[in-house]
Amino acid sequence: MDYEKDIFKYNYFLVVLSSCNDDRINEEAEFQPMDEFYNENKPEEQEFVITSDTGSAPIVGMEGTELWGFRNILEHRNGDEVQLPYSLKLIELYSYEDMILYRMPTLASTSILESGGEVKITAWESGKELVLKSGEKYPLVLATTATKAGMNVYHGDHPNNEFGSWDASFDGSIIIQAEKYQMHTAKMGWQNCGQAGSNNGTTDVKFSVEGKGGEFIDLYIALKDYQGLLKGNNLVVNHAPIGQNATIVAMAKDQNDEYRLHKQEIMITDGLEITLDMQVVSETALLSTLAGL
Protein backbone atom coordinates (compact mmCIF):
# COMPACT_ATOMS: atom_id res chain seq x y z
CA MET A 1 0.00 0.00 0.00
CA ASP A 2 2.86 2.36 0.87
CA TYR A 3 4.51 1.41 -2.43
CA GLU A 4 1.39 2.46 -4.36
CA LYS A 5 1.29 5.78 -2.48
CA ASP A 6 4.94 6.45 -3.34
CA ILE A 7 4.29 5.72 -7.03
CA PHE A 8 1.31 8.07 -6.98
CA LYS A 9 3.33 10.85 -5.37
CA TYR A 10 6.18 10.36 -7.86
CA ASN A 11 3.85 10.47 -10.86
CA TYR A 12 2.09 13.53 -9.45
CA PHE A 13 5.46 15.28 -9.05
CA LEU A 14 6.35 14.52 -12.67
CA VAL A 15 3.03 15.88 -13.92
CA VAL A 16 3.42 19.09 -11.90
CA LEU A 17 7.06 19.51 -13.01
CA SER A 18 6.14 18.95 -16.64
CA SER A 19 3.28 21.42 -16.36
CA CYS A 20 5.59 24.06 -14.85
CA ASN A 21 8.17 23.54 -17.61
CA ASP A 22 5.49 23.79 -20.30
CA ASP A 23 4.19 27.00 -18.75
CA ARG A 24 7.67 28.51 -18.76
CA ILE A 25 8.35 27.47 -22.35
CA ASN A 26 5.02 28.83 -23.55
CA GLU A 27 4.95 32.02 -21.48
CA GLU A 28 5.11 35.30 -23.36
CA ALA A 29 8.52 36.93 -23.26
CA GLU A 30 8.87 40.21 -21.40
CA PHE A 31 12.09 41.83 -22.57
CA GLN A 32 14.32 43.72 -20.15
CA PRO A 33 17.35 46.06 -20.52
CA MET A 34 20.87 44.60 -20.60
CA ASP A 35 22.83 47.33 -18.81
CA GLU A 36 24.53 44.90 -16.43
CA PHE A 37 25.70 42.74 -19.36
CA TYR A 38 27.31 45.73 -21.09
CA ASN A 39 28.95 46.99 -17.91
CA GLU A 40 30.47 43.59 -17.15
CA ASN A 41 31.77 42.87 -20.66
CA LYS A 42 32.68 46.18 -22.31
CA PRO A 43 36.35 46.97 -22.97
CA GLU A 44 38.04 48.50 -19.94
CA GLU A 45 39.47 51.99 -19.82
CA GLN A 46 43.23 51.62 -19.49
CA GLU A 47 45.29 54.02 -17.39
CA PHE A 48 48.99 54.75 -17.81
CA VAL A 49 50.78 56.72 -15.08
CA ILE A 50 53.66 58.84 -16.41
CA THR A 51 56.33 59.64 -13.85
CA SER A 52 59.11 60.89 -16.13
CA ASP A 53 59.52 62.88 -19.34
CA THR A 54 62.34 60.60 -20.46
CA GLY A 55 60.40 57.34 -20.68
CA SER A 56 60.35 55.43 -23.92
CA ALA A 57 57.61 56.26 -26.42
CA PRO A 58 55.12 55.22 -27.48
CA ILE A 59 52.70 54.03 -24.82
CA VAL A 60 50.85 51.08 -26.39
CA GLY A 61 47.31 50.02 -25.53
CA MET A 62 46.10 46.44 -25.24
CA GLU A 63 44.73 46.51 -28.80
CA GLY A 64 47.81 48.19 -30.27
CA THR A 65 46.98 51.91 -30.23
CA GLU A 66 50.18 53.96 -29.88
CA LEU A 67 50.16 57.17 -27.84
CA TRP A 68 52.95 59.58 -28.79
CA GLY A 69 51.96 62.76 -26.94
CA PHE A 70 54.12 64.25 -24.17
CA ARG A 71 53.46 66.51 -21.19
CA ASN A 72 54.71 69.64 -22.98
CA ILE A 73 51.62 69.75 -25.25
CA LEU A 74 49.17 69.54 -22.33
CA GLU A 75 47.93 72.05 -19.77
CA HIS A 76 45.23 72.55 -17.16
CA ARG A 77 42.03 74.26 -18.26
CA ASN A 78 43.15 77.45 -16.46
CA GLY A 79 46.50 77.38 -18.28
CA ASP A 80 48.57 75.99 -15.40
CA GLU A 81 51.53 73.77 -16.25
CA VAL A 82 51.15 70.01 -15.90
CA GLN A 83 53.25 68.44 -13.15
CA LEU A 84 54.55 64.90 -12.77
CA PRO A 85 53.12 62.40 -12.28
CA TYR A 86 50.15 62.60 -14.62
CA SER A 87 48.18 59.87 -16.35
CA LEU A 88 46.77 59.00 -19.76
CA LYS A 89 43.55 57.03 -20.10
CA LEU A 90 42.62 55.06 -23.22
CA ILE A 91 39.59 53.19 -24.57
CA GLU A 92 40.06 51.20 -27.82
CA LEU A 93 37.17 50.03 -30.01
CA TYR A 94 38.18 48.31 -33.24
CA SER A 95 36.02 45.19 -33.62
CA TYR A 96 32.25 45.00 -33.99
CA GLU A 97 32.21 43.12 -30.69
CA ASP A 98 33.85 45.98 -28.81
CA MET A 99 31.77 48.67 -30.53
CA ILE A 100 28.58 46.81 -29.61
CA LEU A 101 29.67 46.13 -26.03
CA TYR A 102 30.36 49.85 -25.66
CA ARG A 103 27.15 50.71 -27.56
CA MET A 104 29.18 52.98 -29.83
CA PRO A 105 27.96 52.82 -33.47
CA THR A 106 29.66 54.64 -36.35
CA LEU A 107 26.84 57.02 -37.32
CA ALA A 108 27.68 60.66 -38.08
CA SER A 109 24.46 62.65 -38.36
CA THR A 110 22.56 60.61 -40.96
CA SER A 111 25.61 59.00 -42.59
CA ILE A 112 27.11 55.70 -41.54
CA LEU A 113 30.90 55.92 -41.31
CA GLU A 114 33.36 53.38 -42.56
CA SER A 115 35.56 53.30 -39.47
CA GLY A 116 39.22 52.55 -38.99
CA GLY A 117 38.75 52.55 -35.24
CA GLU A 118 37.15 54.46 -32.37
CA VAL A 119 39.36 55.52 -29.46
CA LYS A 120 39.11 57.78 -26.44
CA ILE A 121 42.26 59.45 -25.11
CA THR A 122 42.24 61.71 -22.05
CA ALA A 123 44.95 63.07 -19.75
CA TRP A 124 44.69 63.73 -16.00
CA GLU A 125 46.65 65.25 -13.15
CA SER A 126 45.50 65.12 -9.51
CA GLY A 127 41.99 64.17 -10.62
CA LYS A 128 41.69 67.10 -13.03
CA GLU A 129 41.21 66.51 -16.75
CA LEU A 130 43.83 68.18 -18.95
CA VAL A 131 43.47 69.83 -22.36
CA LEU A 132 45.76 70.45 -25.31
CA LYS A 133 47.63 73.74 -25.48
CA SER A 134 46.45 76.14 -28.16
CA GLY A 135 47.76 75.08 -31.57
CA GLU A 136 48.92 71.64 -30.42
CA LYS A 137 47.71 68.29 -31.69
CA TYR A 138 47.85 64.96 -29.91
CA PRO A 139 49.63 62.32 -32.05
CA LEU A 140 48.53 58.70 -31.96
CA VAL A 141 48.74 55.71 -34.27
CA LEU A 142 45.73 53.42 -34.59
CA ALA A 143 46.13 49.66 -34.58
CA THR A 144 44.32 49.36 -37.92
CA THR A 145 46.20 48.69 -41.15
CA ALA A 146 45.60 51.70 -43.40
CA THR A 147 43.64 50.47 -46.42
CA LYS A 148 41.45 53.48 -47.29
CA ALA A 149 42.56 56.85 -48.60
CA GLY A 150 40.74 60.00 -47.54
CA MET A 151 39.99 59.06 -43.95
CA ASN A 152 39.17 61.97 -41.65
CA VAL A 153 39.02 62.68 -37.92
CA TYR A 154 35.56 62.67 -36.36
CA HIS A 155 35.28 63.91 -32.79
CA GLY A 156 32.82 62.12 -30.53
CA ASP A 157 30.23 64.03 -28.54
CA HIS A 158 29.58 61.21 -26.06
CA PRO A 159 28.88 62.57 -22.55
CA ASN A 160 29.52 59.91 -19.89
CA ASN A 161 30.58 57.55 -22.70
CA GLU A 162 26.99 57.26 -23.94
CA PHE A 163 26.70 57.60 -27.71
CA GLY A 164 25.74 61.05 -28.91
CA SER A 165 27.20 61.79 -32.34
CA TRP A 166 30.36 61.69 -34.42
CA ASP A 167 31.11 65.16 -35.75
CA ALA A 168 33.54 65.86 -38.60
CA SER A 169 36.50 67.91 -37.37
CA PHE A 170 37.23 71.34 -38.83
CA ASP A 171 40.00 72.24 -36.38
CA GLY A 172 43.06 71.03 -38.27
CA SER A 173 42.88 67.44 -37.05
CA ILE A 174 44.26 65.09 -39.70
CA ILE A 175 44.74 61.43 -40.61
CA ILE A 176 48.00 60.43 -42.32
CA GLN A 177 47.77 57.18 -44.27
CA ALA A 178 50.93 55.16 -43.72
CA GLU A 179 51.26 51.50 -42.77
CA LYS A 180 48.70 52.32 -40.09
CA TYR A 181 46.43 55.34 -39.67
CA GLN A 182 48.34 58.16 -37.97
CA MET A 183 45.98 60.57 -36.24
CA HIS A 184 46.85 64.10 -35.13
CA THR A 185 43.87 65.40 -33.23
CA ALA A 186 43.36 68.98 -32.02
CA LYS A 187 40.96 67.78 -29.33
CA MET A 188 41.18 65.16 -26.60
CA GLY A 189 38.37 62.69 -25.93
CA TRP A 190 36.55 60.39 -28.34
CA GLN A 191 38.00 60.12 -31.88
CA ASN A 192 36.93 58.15 -34.95
CA CYS A 193 39.03 57.54 -38.05
CA GLY A 194 36.34 57.46 -40.73
CA GLN A 195 34.69 58.48 -43.95
CA ALA A 196 31.14 58.26 -45.25
CA GLY A 197 30.48 54.69 -46.37
CA SER A 198 29.20 53.95 -49.86
CA ASN A 199 25.46 53.38 -50.33
CA ASN A 200 22.58 53.79 -52.75
CA GLY A 201 20.53 55.85 -50.35
CA THR A 202 19.30 54.86 -46.91
CA THR A 203 16.20 53.35 -45.39
CA ASP A 204 14.64 52.70 -42.00
CA VAL A 205 14.62 49.00 -41.09
CA LYS A 206 11.59 48.15 -38.97
CA PHE A 207 11.25 45.18 -36.62
CA SER A 208 8.39 43.33 -34.96
CA VAL A 209 8.47 40.76 -32.17
CA GLU A 210 6.14 38.64 -30.08
CA GLY A 211 6.18 39.59 -26.42
CA LYS A 212 6.25 42.68 -24.27
CA GLY A 213 8.97 45.28 -23.86
CA GLY A 214 10.17 45.33 -27.44
CA GLU A 215 11.59 48.79 -26.79
CA PHE A 216 14.24 47.15 -24.57
CA ILE A 217 15.62 44.99 -27.39
CA ASP A 218 19.01 46.27 -28.54
CA LEU A 219 19.29 46.24 -32.33
CA TYR A 220 22.48 46.41 -34.37
CA ILE A 221 23.26 46.29 -38.07
CA ALA A 222 26.89 45.35 -38.80
CA LEU A 223 27.92 45.85 -42.43
CA LYS A 224 29.85 43.17 -44.30
CA ASP A 225 31.64 45.15 -47.00
CA TYR A 226 33.16 47.77 -44.73
CA GLN A 227 33.41 48.46 -40.99
CA GLY A 228 30.19 50.30 -40.26
CA LEU A 229 27.78 49.77 -37.35
CA LEU A 230 24.27 51.08 -36.73
CA LYS A 231 22.28 50.86 -33.50
CA GLY A 232 18.49 50.87 -33.38
CA ASN A 233 15.90 52.23 -30.99
CA ASN A 234 12.29 51.23 -30.33
CA LEU A 235 12.36 48.44 -32.95
CA VAL A 236 13.70 50.69 -35.74
CA VAL A 237 17.20 51.14 -37.18
CA ASN A 238 17.43 54.42 -39.06
CA HIS A 239 19.75 55.38 -41.95
CA ALA A 240 20.60 51.82 -43.06
CA PRO A 241 22.51 51.91 -46.37
CA ILE A 242 20.49 50.31 -49.17
CA GLY A 243 22.25 47.60 -51.14
CA GLN A 244 24.70 46.59 -48.41
CA ASN A 245 25.14 43.07 -47.06
CA ALA A 246 24.85 43.06 -43.29
CA THR A 247 24.27 41.05 -40.14
CA ILE A 248 21.33 41.81 -37.89
CA VAL A 249 21.89 41.28 -34.16
CA ALA A 250 19.02 41.76 -31.72
CA MET A 251 19.51 40.98 -28.04
CA ALA A 252 17.82 41.45 -24.69
CA LYS A 253 17.14 39.78 -21.35
CA ASP A 254 13.75 38.33 -20.44
CA GLN A 255 11.73 38.16 -17.22
CA ASN A 256 13.52 34.94 -16.26
CA ASP A 257 16.91 36.71 -16.45
CA GLU A 258 17.83 34.71 -19.56
CA TYR A 259 19.50 36.17 -22.62
CA ARG A 260 17.58 36.32 -25.91
CA LEU A 261 19.21 36.62 -29.34
CA HIS A 262 18.22 36.97 -32.99
CA LYS A 263 21.02 36.89 -35.60
CA GLN A 264 20.36 37.08 -39.34
CA GLU A 265 22.31 37.75 -42.52
CA ILE A 266 20.49 40.19 -44.81
CA MET A 267 20.74 42.45 -47.83
CA ILE A 268 19.42 45.91 -46.89
CA THR A 269 16.53 46.85 -49.17
CA ASP A 270 14.24 49.85 -49.18
CA GLY A 271 11.45 49.52 -46.64
CA LEU A 272 12.87 46.32 -45.12
CA GLU A 273 10.79 44.80 -42.30
CA ILE A 274 12.01 41.92 -40.12
CA THR A 275 10.20 39.70 -37.62
CA LEU A 276 12.50 38.81 -34.74
CA ASP A 277 12.77 35.29 -33.36
CA MET A 278 14.33 35.89 -29.95
CA GLN A 279 15.85 32.58 -28.88
CA VAL A 280 17.20 31.81 -25.40
CA VAL A 281 21.02 31.63 -25.37
CA SER A 282 23.74 31.52 -22.74
CA GLU A 283 25.92 34.51 -22.01
CA THR A 284 28.87 32.57 -23.40
CA ALA A 285 27.02 31.90 -26.66
CA LEU A 286 25.98 35.57 -26.92
CA LEU A 287 29.54 36.79 -26.47
CA SER A 288 30.75 34.20 -28.98
CA THR A 289 28.23 35.51 -31.51
CA LEU A 290 29.49 39.06 -31.08
CA ALA A 291 33.10 37.96 -31.34
CA GLY A 292 32.31 36.24 -34.66
CA LEU A 293 30.89 39.33 -36.40
Side-chain angles (χ1 to χ4, degrees), residues 9 27 62 83:
K9 290 179 181 179
E27 69 180 334
M62 291 188 296
Q83 304 297 320

Side-chain angles (χ1 to χ4, degrees), residues 204-225:
D204 294 340
V205 180
K206 298 180 180 180
F207 297 83
S208 59
V209 65
E210 291 186 6
K212 300 177 181 179
E215 68 272 18
F216 296 122
I217 297 175
D218 288 332
L219 301 164
Y220 299 92
I221 293 181
L223 301 186
K224 291 288 191 180
D225 296 332

Side-chain angles (χ1 to χ4, degrees), residues 40-59:
E40 290 178 352
N41 293 290
K42 69 182 181 181
E44 66 180 85
E45 184 172 42
Q46 305 159 62
E47 183 173 10
F48 308 91
V49 178
I50 292 83
T51 59
S52 170
D53 291 325
T54 59
S56 60
I59 293 172

Side-chain angles (χ1 to χ4, degrees), residues 23-221:
D23 288 343
R24 182 164 179 172
I25 291 172
N26 294 325
E27 69 180 334
E28 185 177 56
E30 297 181 15
F31 302 107
Q32 311 291 335
M34 295 180 62
D35 292 342
E36 184 178 352
F37 168 81
Y38 288 109
N39 291 334
E40 290 178 352
N41 293 290
K42 69 182 181 181
E44 66 180 85
E45 184 172 42
Q46 305 159 62
E47 183 173 10
F48 308 91
V49 178
I50 292 83
T51 59
S52 170
D53 291 325
T54 59
S56 60
I59 293 172
V60 182
M62 291 188 296
E63 299 297 327
T65 306
E66 300 174 14
L67 306 180
W68 287 89
F70 293 93
R71 179 167 64 113
N72 64 322
I73 65 173
L74 299 167
E75 65 181 6
H76 285 275
R77 293 186 183 277
N78 64 0
D80 285 352
E81 183 178 345
V82 178
Q83 304 297 320
L84 293 171
Y86 72 101
S87 64
L88 295 171
K89 293 184 180 181
L90 174 67
I91 299 171
E92 303 169 281
L93 308 178
Y94 289 105
S95 68
Y96 278 139
E97 176 187 20
D98 287 346
M99 290 178 180
I100 289 174
L101 290 174
Y102 228 97
R103 291 182 276 192
M104 200 63 68
T106 67
L107 188 69
S109 184
T110 60
S111 297
I112 187 170
L113 295 179
E114 177 173 2
S115 177
E118 303 172 342
V119 297
K120 183 185 182 185
I121 171 68
T122 56
W124 301 78
E125 187 209 329
S126 300
K128 296 179 180 179
E129 188 171 3
L130 306 175
V131 296
L132 287 169
K133 292 180 179 179
S134 178
E136 296 287 358
K137 296 181 179 62
Y138 194 93
L140 60 151
V141 179
L142 300 183
T144 318
T145 301
T147 58
K148 295 286 184 179
M151 297 292 256
N152 299 301
V153 177
Y154 286 77
H155 299 310
D157 178 18
H158 309 314
N160 300 317
N161 294 332
E162 295 183 5
F163 180 74
S165 64
W166 291 109
D167 302 317
S169 65
F170 297 98
D171 54 11
S173 298
I174 60 172
I175 298 285
I176 297 174
Q177 184 182 2
E179 181 180 350
K180 296 181 179 180
Y181 295 113
Q182 300 177 5
M183 180 181 292
H184 298 262
T185 175
K187 181 179 179 181
M188 303 293 278
W190 279 104
Q191 316 291 334
N192 194 334
C193 167
Q195 62 177 289
S198 60
N199 64 73
N200 298 310
T202 64
T203 188
D204 294 340
V205 180
K206 298 180 180 180
F207 297 83
S208 59
V209 65
E210 291 186 6
K212 300 177 181 179
E215 68 272 18
F216 296 122
I217 297 175
D218 288 332
L219 301 164
Y220 299 92
I221 293 181

